[in-house]
Amino acid sequence: MTRDITPGACPAADSTAPEEITSAVVASFAGCPRPRLRLIMQMLAHHLHAFAQEVELTQEEWYAGIRFLTDAGHLTTEERQEFILLSDTLGLSMFIDAINHEQGGETTESTVLGPFWAEGSPLRDYGAAIAERQAGVPAWVHGRVLDTTGAPLAGAELDVWQNGDDRLYAVQDPGAPEHHLRGRFRTRADGSYAFLAVRPTAYPIPDDGPVGRMLAATGRHPWRPAHIHIKVDAPGYEPLTTHIFDADSEYLDSDTVFAVKPSLIRTFVPRKPDAPERPAGVDGEWFSVENDLVLTRRGLRTRPSPPATEE
């Protein structure tokens, strides 16, 4: 039955039966003037109520969930985003990525942003180091940014960030320089880019808060495989958020945020200390990794349809 709803009104349920409560809440959004917001809120209410009914959620469990979300809010700051961490560990971040981006194909595959990206990384010169203090074994990261025809993209901007051998990102370490282990780079005329990073290490996500307690209670580990984050932007092209995963890392098959894609795994090649290609300022052992990035023109990407659901 279709209800006659005055915009902004919250209709009363015809009874206190669960299905009538759900119907009343869904109907309360019928007057929303923004169709997309109306759809989101109605479907959120519908599925949230259905979840509670399916698991027969108790009052105590409901309140435990409220406390969990409250704790996540208290812990979230500019430096730590517990809600993104929750989304990541529940696989929601990668699910959103999957329904919004083409899987496979000619372009470089995307993956999660993660909770440690920071706005305002400094623009650095081609080949510059992103470590502002000792952070691990140097790794020369290089490649080209291309379109799907193989043409180079000059002036594309790469925003990169990573953890060091202490398993921390700079935003987690109050003693680290502000811009440690992050920076922005622009491609040259031939689409090439390069920067001196450090070989990343596997690390546990922050597990001293509610997300960590959830993982421990459910028998899951908090570890991510070794990786370097890269965001790429070029005028006229779809932006890309991706990773370089170290092929020799642990946890490639059990990433706690479900973000590993085989196409993003790369080999960090050991190099001799006296190799002629040794980057300036590097002494001793070092590694190199080549990683081309392929973008698609804005508006050309075909996004897959969301999976069908039963009525």
Side-chain angles (χ1 to χ4, degrees), residues 85-92 205 207 211-223 251 254-259:
L85 207 60
L86 177 61
S87 175
D88 289 351
T89 54
L90 292 179
L92 179 61
I205 62 169
D207 59 355
V211 172
R213 294 198 297 272
M214 178 271 289
L215 294 178
T218 55
R220 287 178 53 189
H221 72 71
W223 286 86
Y251 306 107
S254 62
D255 182 4
T256 196
V257 306
F258 311 98

Side-chain angles (χ1 to χ4, degrees), residues 66-150:
I66 296 296
R67 289 201 310 270
F68 179 94
L69 295 175
T70 301
D71 290 346
H74 287 161
L75 196 57
T76 296
T77 65
E78 289 297 321
E79 290 75 35
R80 175 165 177 172
Q81 234 304 346
E82 193 75 2
F83 286 105
I84 290 181
L85 207 60
L86 177 61
S87 175
D88 289 351
T89 54
L90 292 179
L92 179 61
S93 302
M94 281 304 296
F95 186 83
I96 298 297
D97 174 78
I99 64 175
N100 281 275
H101 296 94
E102 182 180 358
Q103 305 300 300
E106 299 174 313
T107 58
T108 299
E109 290 193 291
S110 58
T111 189
V112 296
L113 176 69
F116 300 121
W117 176 76
E119 191 172 2
S121 290
L123 186 62
R124 303 184 189 271
D125 293 334
Y126 177 91
I130 61 173
E132 298 188 351
R133 69 181 188 191
Q134 196 284 327
V137 180
W140 178 252
V141 182
H142 65 104
R144 293 195 299 161
V145 178
L146 310 166
D147 69 12
T148 53
T149 70

